[in-house]
Amino acid sequence: MNKYLLSFLLIALASCSRQEAGLREYHEALTLMEQGDAPSALKQLERAQELATTDSLLALTHSQMGTLYFSQRLLSDNSQQPLSDEVFHQLEDAIEQADPGFTRRLQEFCRLTPQERRVCWLIRLGISPIGIAQLTAHSKQSVSNTRSRLYEKAFGQKGTPAQWDEFVLSV
């Protein structure tokens, strides 16, 4: 397992557990900074620090950098190996530490196979369908079909892959 990939996944997981209000303030500060309004951006950052821990803000910054690195790597490295069972086990442990009960909450809606759980964990980390396909050694179409099927399995009606993703991110 590539240490950079594992680091990215763990950083992405950390960013999933950040406080929403602090994140909003942080994004507003970035927007103000891009607009050249540094004094307002600094005030906004102060508010963000009041709402979220410094660690959470750092995790977000690192996660954004990791996402760019990881996306470039996926697009440029066609020989990317799927994640091993051991890495998925470590990922499960990390998700349960960062978001206790996440997998159990999903299982309340429908019984998940090991492959379906893995897809859900990667969705939770914000990995794209192409990335999920590569990390699980399946085609992008297979991942999309899994996501649609899971929505139907959980709610008893047809749904889109995007609807399933939205649900997973809200659980």
Side-chain angles (χ1 to χ4, degrees):
M1 174 69 203
N2 184 317
K3 285 192 269 184
Y4 294 110
L5 177 58
L6 184 57
S7 295
F8 165 76
L9 292 174
L10 294 175
I11 289 169
L13 179 61
S15 72
C16 289
S17 64
R18 65 192 172 268
Q19 296 177 2
E20 189 173 322
L23 178 63
R24 242 189 331 270
E25 297 288 331
Y26 180 69
H27 280 297
E28 288 176 26
L30 288 175
T31 301
L32 289 168
M33 191 62 105
E34 289 173 358
Q35 295 169 349
D37 189 357
S40 296
L42 288 174
K43 287 179 186 176
Q44 201 73 23
L45 278 175
E46 288 173 3
R47 280 186 239 140
Q49 288 175 340
E50 291 172 10
L51 295 171
T53 66
T54 303
D55 288 343
S56 293
L57 295 174
L58 289 174
L60 172 63
T61 302
H62 287 267
S63 179
Q64 289 171 334
M65 292 173 11
T67 300
L68 292 173
Y69 166 80
F70 185 64
S71 298
Q72 286 178 325
R73 183 123 192 262
L74 282 176
L75 294 174
S76 66
D77 184 5
N78 292 332
S79 66
Q80 181 77 27
Q81 295 295 313
L83 297 180
S84 67
D85 289 341
E86 178 185 338
V87 171
F88 272 114
H89 182 70
Q90 292 171 353
L91 184 59
E92 177 183 17
D93 291 344
I95 286 173
E96 285 305 312
Q97 280 185 330
D99 187 3
F102 171 72
T103 304
R104 180 190 44 77
R105 290 191 305 273
L106 282 176
Q107 298 269 26
E108 289 173 0
F109 287 88
C110 61
R111 174 171 250 121
L112 299 172
T113 67
Q115 172 61 21
E116 291 168 341
R117 278 194 305 273
R118 290 172 176 189
V119 168
C120 291
W121 295 333
L122 293 170
I123 291 168
R124 183 70 168 187
L125 292 175
I127 307 295
S128 72
I130 292 171
I132 293 171
Q134 287 185 326
L135 294 172
T136 60
H138 290 83
S139 70
K140 182 180 180 238
Q141 186 59 50
S142 174
V143 170
S144 290
N145 291 344
T146 297
R147 292 158 53 222
S148 295
R149 186 178 60 253
L150 282 168
Y151 188 90
E152 187 170 357
K153 195 172 165 180
F155 300 107
Q157 61 185 16
K158 291 197 182 282
T160 65
Q163 286 174 306
W164 180 252
D165 294 356
E166 186 177 316
F167 168 71
V168 168
L169 294 171
S170 72
V171 171

